[in-house]
């Protein structure tokens, strides 16, 4: 079940995706605890690091419990990307430096010409990856999309350049930038990339449970799968997929008691790290995610999205799950 990125042994094939505003240290710890073999931290801006932006630097916070961890960086300028990678190498205890070449949001992909915008410029991709690989010792990985749009699906070409530049692995989110998060991930793109390169390929897009993870692994022959949205409010997904891949076991979904305890644990660990106020703001999203699929929870969802204190948060949950 294990695989390697550079010299780093990853104990299984299930990986937590980088998700801005979500994949912070508490969430990564929960994901590792429940069986993710590797966790990605949300993207940080190259210029944010270099200009000493306090918020950006705080995003680098991590603990040894969550290792192995990959820290992602985004940007479009060769010089600042290399300097940012060196900054991460020096100031973070992460195990991997990952470069974002897939982010579709206008602020990143259009305004900053970073993220998925780089897919339009394979030469630039080569330069950024090869320069970073020369300057840092940690393994460098890259996360790409299928291409910019349907007319320019170039993941195979880009993946070959990334391998040539010395990267240690590639993640392919098998959607184009134009697709955003709509439509379906195209497993044939992941398969084609896997056939084209020798470094490990991590498949990404629409894995939601054991069967969908198995399908992606078997059909594309990718080395591991990355889970994003299906992990929101659902750290149990990692143990469920691991069990299914091992011998087809279907683990029961968490009980209401487990969900309640997890919500409180998640809240407390966010509050320890960022203070009660920020924890409340973040739990306004996480709370409703934890309640997905639970009947008669719409009033609670609304209450959680408006809570102002820890005491209120806990009393709403306790009243509902009583
Ligand atoms: C809230 C959110 C934030 C995201 N932030 C990032 C990010 O910081 N870096 C990145 O490479 N991808 C980011 N993504 C994309 C995911 O890593 C992943 O590629 C995408 O959600 C597809 O996987 P899924 O179908 O398992 O969700 C984000 C996705 C979501 C939903």
């Amino acid at each position: 079940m294990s695989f390697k990125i550079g010299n780093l042994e990853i104990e299984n094939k299930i990986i937590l995706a980088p998700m801005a505003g979500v994949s912070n240290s508490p969430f990564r710890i929960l994901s590792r605890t429940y069986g993710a073999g590797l966790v990605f931290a949300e993207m940080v801006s190259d210029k944010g690091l270099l200009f000493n932006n306090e918020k950006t630097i705080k995003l680098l916070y991590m603990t040894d419990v969550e290792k192995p961890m990959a820290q992602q960086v985004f940007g479009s300028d060769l010089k600042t990307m290399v300097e940012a990678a060196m900054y991460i190498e020096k100031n973070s205890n992460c195990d991997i430096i990952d470069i974002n070449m897939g982010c579709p949001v206008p602020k990143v992909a259009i305004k900053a010409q970073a993220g998925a915008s780089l897919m339009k410029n394979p030469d630039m991709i080569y330069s950024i990856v090869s320069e970073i690989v020369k300057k840092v010792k940690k393994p460098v990985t890259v996360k790409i999309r299928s291409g910019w749009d349907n007319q320019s699906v170039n993941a195979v070409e880009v993946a070959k350049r990334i391998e040539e530049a010395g990267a240690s692995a590639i993640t392919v989110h098998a959607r184009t930038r134009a697709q955003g998060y709509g439509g379906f991930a195209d497993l044939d793109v992941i398969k084609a990339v896997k056939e084209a390169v020798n470094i490990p390929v991590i498949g990404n897009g629409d894995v939601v449970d054991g069967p969908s993870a198995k399908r992606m692994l078997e059909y594309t022959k990718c080395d591991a799968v990355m889970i994003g949205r299906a992990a929101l409010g659902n750290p149990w997904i990692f143990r469920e997929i691991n069990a299914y891949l091992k011998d087809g076991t279907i683990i029961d979904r968490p009980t209401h008691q487990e969900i309640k305890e997890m919500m409180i644990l998640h809240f407390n660990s966010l509050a320890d790290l960022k203070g009660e106020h920020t924890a409340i703001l973040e739990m306004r999203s996480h709370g409703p995610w934890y309640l997905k699929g639970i009947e008669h929870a719409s009033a609670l969802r609304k209450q959680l999205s408006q809570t102002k204190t820890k005491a209120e948060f806990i009393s709403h949950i306790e009243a509902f799950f009583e």
Side-chain angles (χ1 to χ4, degrees):
M1 282 297 282
S2 67
F3 76 108
K4 274 183 147 185
I5 295 182
N7 287 327
L8 188 70
E9 178 97 15
I10 311 293
E11 69 189 36
N12 65 45
K13 294 176 176 294
I14 320 297
I15 298 175
L16 170 69
M19 287 187 279
V22 176
S23 301
N24 49 30
S25 181
F27 193 66
R28 297 191 304 257
I29 292 174
L30 290 182
S31 301
R32 279 285 290 139
T33 308
Y34 281 84
L38 168 67
V39 290
F40 276 62
E42 62 190 287
M43 59 182 175
V44 294
S45 144
D46 61 342
K47 295 201 166 63
L49 290 180
L50 302 176
F51 294 153
N52 273 322
N53 179 296
E54 200 187 328
K55 264 192 182 164
T56 311
I57 288 170
K58 275 192 179 156
L59 291 177
L60 292 186
Y61 177 83
M62 66 170 292
T63 60
D64 285 349
V65 186
E66 67 206 61
K67 284 164 82 66
M69 186 277 253
Q71 177 61 57
Q72 191 184 67
V73 60
F74 78 93
S76 58
D77 180 73
L78 178 60
K79 188 164 173 285
T80 50
M81 283 296 275
V82 173
E83 283 172 10
M86 290 164 70
Y87 182 101
I88 294 171
E89 168 110 329
K90 190 165 161 224
N91 294 289
S92 162
N93 194 20
C94 67
D95 301 278
I96 291 171
I97 298 176
D98 185 64
I99 309 172
N100 181 319
M101 298 198 178
C103 184
V105 305
K107 201 173 127 196
V108 174
I110 311 273
K111 192 161 167 258
Q113 293 289 299
S117 180
L118 288 166
M119 294 296 294
K120 293 191 279 189
N121 193 345
D123 287 341
M124 185 63 177
I125 291 182
Y126 179 84
S127 302
I128 292 177
V129 179
S130 60
E131 283 308 306
I132 292 180
V133 167
K134 276 184 217 150
K135 295 281 169 36
V136 300
K137 292 200 182 66
K138 295 184 201 273
V140 174
T141 59
V142 184
K143 182 162 175 282
I144 63 172
R145 281 192 171 234
S146 304
W148 179 254
D149 60 21
N150 252 345
Q151 282 71 53
S152 56
V153 172
N154 62 350
V156 167
E157 179 199 351
V158 165
K160 284 184 183 164
R161 299 301 305 275
I162 288 171
E163 177 175 45
E164 217 185 309
S168 297
I170 303 178
T171 304
V172 185
H173 176 196
R175 281 190 175 83
T176 62
R177 190 266 166 180
Q179 269 183 288
Y181 292 94
F184 297 101
D186 182 352
L187 295 190
D188 284 311
V189 173
I190 301 171
K191 186 169 191 270
V193 169
K194 177 63 193 168
E195 281 163 8
V197 297
N198 293 310
I199 52 177
V201 173
I202 301 163
N204 173 232
D206 301 342
V207 173
V208 293
D209 53 16
S212 52
K214 189 161 189 255
R215 197 175 322 120
M216 184 180 278
L217 285 164
E218 286 182 352
Y219 183 76
T220 71
K221 306 276 188 293
C222 64
D223 299 271
V225 295
M226 176 183 274
I227 322 279
R229 290 163 298 171
L232 298 174
N234 186 19
W236 301 278
I237 191 170
F238 299 103
R239 73 170 181 201
E240 288 170 12
I241 296 181
N242 275 317
Y244 187 83
L245 292 182
K246 196 162 163 241
D247 55 14
T249 301
I250 308 240
I251 294 187
D252 288 340
R253 292 300 296 150
T255 61
H256 284 188
Q257 181 66 18
E258 283 175 298
I259 293 173
K260 180 183 111 177
E261 283 167 10
M262 184 70 81
M263 288 173 83
I264 294 173
L265 173 68
H266 197 162
F267 181 97
N268 284 336
S269 42
L270 278 174
D272 287 346
L273 179 63
K274 303 183 175 200
E276 183 174 328
H277 180 66
T278 308
I280 283 170
L281 298 183
E282 294 197 11
M283 287 311 284
R284 286 181 183 174
S285 306
H286 287 285
W289 287 330
Y290 277 108
L291 302 173
K292 215 160 66 187
I294 295 183
E295 284 185 3
H296 312 300
S298 54
L300 175 61
R301 269 187 212 108
K302 193 158 172 230
Q303 286 169 333
L304 292 184
S305 65
Q306 296 168 350
T307 40
K308 293 197 177 59
T309 63
K310 175 175 175 177
E312 253 183 68
F313 179 85
I314 306 234
S315 82
H316 288 321
I317 298 178
E318 303 229 301
F320 180 82
F321 286 112
E322 197 170 60

